[in-house]
Amino acid sequence: MIKGFIFDLDGVITDTAELHFQAWKNLANDMDWEFDREVNEQLRGVSRMDSINIIKEHNAAEISEEKLVELATRKNDIYVDSLDQITPKDYLPGALELLTHLKREGFKVALGSASKNSTKVLQQLDAAKFFDVIGDGNSVSKSKPAPDIFLFGAKELSLKPEECIVYEDAEAGIDAAKAGGFHAVGIGPEERVGHADIRFDSMAEATLFEVKSHFASLFP
Ligand code: G6P
Ligand code: MG
């Protein structure tokens, strides 16, 4: 039976992808690196250091590990400053309703995000109150597609993976959920999250009613 839900943050609860893009673009311009929205798509759900390595490889840049860490920190400073503009109006359509609904029905809820800035994002949205457990980039060392972040969430909720549904918008996130033995709801296009147990184009469609209908045998 399903007793809990674990949510990715960026692209599921709110859309920080644009702010990540602007911050990486800012850094890339400084470095004279090429960086566009297509490359940015590859960074969805990917950790900060893995992201800068993708950008580095895209530019065939030769750069020391130490300098890479420094550049990733510079990008993060820009990104964190930009988070001040997020307000409770910035939930993705359907996300606030779903979180409210889950709390009302007594489900346990955890966050399972790769971001080390998730606390700040949740604060800006006034969303911390919906989560029993916060799993983020500071909770585990192996990032998605490894299942560690979701296993952390389930353990902290005192649930088994098969008792949890994971909501994810990233290919690596669905891989992580499946690798951990979770039920997976994909948010986004078929080519990105088509390997989820069920897929919706947006959070607005991924209501508790729809999910309960799909996993009917797993709900009382
Ligand atoms: C999320 C985003 C990624 C981002 C990662 C790390 O998974 O989808 O684009 O790189 O978090 O975020 P951070 O805030 O720690 O740099
Ligand atoms: Mg995401």
Side-chain angles (χ1 to χ4, degrees), residues 10 20 43-48 51 75-76 79 114-117:
D10 302 330
H20 278 294
L43 311 184
R44 193 179 281 271
V46 171
S47 74
R48 194 181 311 160
S51 297
K75 176 268 174 179
N76 190 55
Y79 175 67
S115 175
K116 294 188 169 167
N117 296 302

Side-chain angles (χ1 to χ4, degrees), residues 15-210:
D15 194 5
T16 43
E18 181 62 25
L19 300 179
H20 278 294
F21 173 73
Q22 295 300 341
W24 283 125
K25 184 71 188 156
N26 200 310
L27 178 77
N29 287 348
D30 275 0
M31 297 299 293
D32 242 341
W33 283 348
E34 188 196 281
F35 181 69
D36 56 22
R37 288 181 188 275
E38 212 177 306
V39 182
N40 193 55
E41 254 313 293
Q42 294 173 40
L43 311 184
R44 193 179 281 271
V46 171
S47 74
R48 194 181 311 160
M49 286 313 295
D50 287 350
S51 297
I52 198 162
N53 273 299
I54 290 172
I55 300 170
K56 178 192 107 168
E57 267 154 42
H58 178 72
N59 285 274
E62 293 204 13
I63 192 155
S64 72
E65 192 52 38
E66 199 186 343
K67 180 79 182 166
L68 267 191
V69 171
E70 184 197 311
L71 294 178
T73 305
R74 206 198 292 172
K75 176 268 174 179
N76 190 55
D77 291 342
I78 302 168
Y79 175 67
V80 170
D81 277 347
S82 75
L83 292 179
D84 286 334
Q85 56 186 280
I86 297 181
T87 76
K89 291 199 178 82
D90 292 314
Y91 283 93
L92 278 167
L96 177 59
E97 293 76 2
L98 177 61
L99 289 170
T100 308
H101 206 165
L102 290 174
K103 280 282 111 177
R104 204 165 55 214
E105 293 215 356
F107 288 101
K108 292 185 182 177
V109 177
L111 188 78
S113 165
S115 175
K116 294 188 169 167
N117 296 302
S118 64
T119 306
K120 164 111 179 157
V121 175
L122 291 182
Q123 232 169 36
Q124 293 292 125
L125 289 168
D126 191 25
K129 59 190 178 209
F130 294 116
F131 294 91
D132 303 300
V133 167
I134 306 289
D136 68 10
N138 305 298
S139 313
V140 295
S141 49
K142 268 205 255 163
S143 44
K144 302 166 190 175
D148 300 36
I149 187 65
F150 298 134
L151 292 172
F152 171 87
K155 185 163 164 264
E156 295 290 310
L157 291 176
S158 305
L159 297 178
K160 298 189 198 101
E162 63 267 28
E163 293 175 318
C164 303
I165 291 180
V166 168
Y167 271 64
E168 254 296 346
D169 71 310
E171 185 176 355
I174 299 294
D175 292 340
K178 302 254 82 186
F182 295 86
H183 306 281
V185 173
I187 306 298
E190 176 73 30
E191 59 272 23
R192 196 169 79 208
V193 292
H195 52 320
D197 296 307
I198 182 168
R199 183 198 71 79
F200 298 95
D201 287 329
S202 73
M203 280 296 282
E205 294 149 62
T207 61
L208 185 53
F209 178 81
E210 286 297 328

